[in-house]
Amino acid sequence: MFTPIDPHLHQPQVYLDANATTAVLPEIADIVSHTMQVCFGNPSSSHITGIKAKHLMEETRQLAKQVIGAQTGHILFTSGATEGIQTAIVSALLAIKEHDIAEPILMYGATEHKAVPNTLAHWNSVLGINATMMAISVDQDGLLDHDFIAEHVGQALMICTMAVNNETGVCQDLALLEQVIRANNPSVAWMVDCVQALGKLDLAISETTIDYAPFSGHKLYAPKGIGFLYIREHSPYTPFIAGGGQESGMRSGTENLPGIAGLNRLFSLLIDPQQSVFKPHQQLHSYREQLEKALRSVFPKIVFNHRFDLSVPTTLNFAVKNISSKEIMDLFDAAGIRVSAGSACSSGASRSYVLDAMSVDNWQSENAIRLSFGPAATQVEIDEACKRITQLKSVLASACLVISDSQVTEQEVCALGLSQYKHQGACCWLFVTDEKEAVIIDPIIELLPRLMNVIQGQKLTLKAMLATHQHAHDEPLASYYSLAGLTQPDNLDLLGWPNQIDDIQIGRYQLMRISTPGHNENSVSYLLMDQDKVVICFCGDLILPGGLGRTNLDDSDPAQMYDSLLSLSQRLSSDSVLCSSHDYAQSFAIDWHSQQAINPLLNHVVTQQIDKQEFIKQKQASDQSLAAQVEYFCGAVVSPASHSLVEKSLPAALSLIAEEGAILLDIRESYEHSASQLATLLNINEQHVRNVPLNRISDAIWQKRLDPKQSYVLICRSGNRSRQACLNLQQLGFEQVYNIRGGLALL
Ligand code: PLP
């Protein structure tokens, strides 16, 4: 059941994702509701209720024409822009199916919304047209290559471009584009996606030869499920939806009158010069400047991915080196600021194809964040947005994401202990003592800038940078030192260990090295000793959480692995924490005892239930079954069982805290935790709230800062990360751990 959110209990949000969708304005929502309840007629009915509905619809059509400057042509109400795009493309392609072009092409801008090329490709195939799809490249400013268009448009069956880009806000010069298209092909069907232009650019559509222009209501304060399509007079048209003949037979199905009424009010607001809802351009520019200033104050090295003078003022797309878009998104989300990574309209993308088309640097595309507001934004909202963005400064500094001069207390401690850093399937570990001495184990080249940021930002002394083995996918040690900006000491072996030295002193701990071949011939494990006890074992690919390293590589040997496991078992205690160089099972933290409990093969070796020959047999069989799984390149794993996981609703979790003394364990990153003030938000005592990010669970375990007898309710943004952490804690023997279903998002 969907429970409406009570806006008074909800964390107030700053919504800066208007290019994805907007909230419906109250005056628009009022008329939509009125049309659903009072003026609810069917425009096809001939009684008075129907006539009123029809009048409202036709009035809206006229207003639409006025808003987009269409003295002639048709306006068709659709469910949104995607339907408008289908209708336009099907109409154009059906009309030109019988062409005599030798090598026909379908042209579209490389930065179009995916709805456009995907629809073109779909109907090109379904209708059996089989024209070549041709993306029009853009320059580094995102502007279409007009020479390319001039050269090819003569063979085009259709050309699709956009007025304003949804990721960057970059505007195409439509007048210039038209000259190029028409000079080379006066009759080609031309669609311009105007979704992001409505309310932001003045459109005089009948003064152009644009054949089709789709629009969408929800991008500009109208409800979802309503949009409209402009069709130029005499341009080809085939109904996309046939049926009862509504919309003069152009689009059947009972019209979405509440949506149309919403558009009616929207258009009236856009047309009325007296209204104060939509802000003049100058004001929108000033909003952009204010946001830019706030962002620069937090991220001194910010790069904007587009030219402001070529973009609508309502979109800012930026990237920060060494801070991933996911981190910024999570941080902003925790602070109640909604932004999007790349494009929220095409979900799942980890980099931006729009920015790739503009040939920006890789990191800019990977780290891109889009911040967008609507033209009805108020100064109060922008002030609040700037305030919250600026407040992130100290949170970021304390999380070492940017180097800061400030001596915030958390900054002093944020990397103390053990931290896990992950890149794709690989793990690297940073260990820092109270004396600020540090060691990096299994460094990953992509993560080095981040690690150095922590080391330099906190003035740590890096005692060693060590690999547990020579990974098949590795760079030589010298590359790590040079990328870190450090001089490599002379006397290191291939794995970074100083020659002729038995142990490295790190604060009050000793780091020892033992040879543990098996996965590789030269594999070693590093043992962090607190007096005589191994507190942490960095075991590389010998043991993986829930599994063992692969032994079918060129220099692997299962017999050696057997000996290595026995040799480790003589040194480790049941609570020694294992740190592997992969974590395919997403286990985060594992100790020697729990590793044996979930890994029968290891357990059988350690308890000597099987001999070396039997181990080799079983290991080879398991390696063979692994052969096809390239994603588990370095070893097999078993995922933690999830059957015993107990999920709680937020209210049930809160009563566990209030009545039974459970601790709320926030497993988000520390910067997300600091940005969201959970105790105040959930009205619970500060003492009942703890923050242990996923990458610090190992730290909490070896330092015994989590008590297996205590009950914990785990929380994150959506309930996914906390579910994983619950499974992890269960593996470690915690019996009373509960996940908060849906996380903070359902608050
Ligand atoms: N075109 C552009 C430029 C867009 O930004 C979007 C929305 O994400 C669409 C098309 C699709 O619009 P709708 O959600 O109305 O189908």
Side-chain angles (χ1 to χ4, degrees), residues 536-553:
I536 301 172
C537 166
F538 300 97
C539 55
D541 282 348
L542 177 68
I543 302 171
L544 308 178
L548 292 175
R550 207 184 255 271
T551 46
N552 57 352
L553 302 171

Side-chain angles (χ1 to χ4, degrees), residues 19-20 80-83 85 113 115 162 164 166 193 195-196 216 218-219 345:
N19 288 7
T82 302
E83 186 193 323
I85 292 167
H113 186 278
M162 72 200 310
V164 174
N166 46 302
D193 176 344
V195 170
Q196 299 291 347
S216 180
H218 74 100
K219 305 285 181 179
C345 320

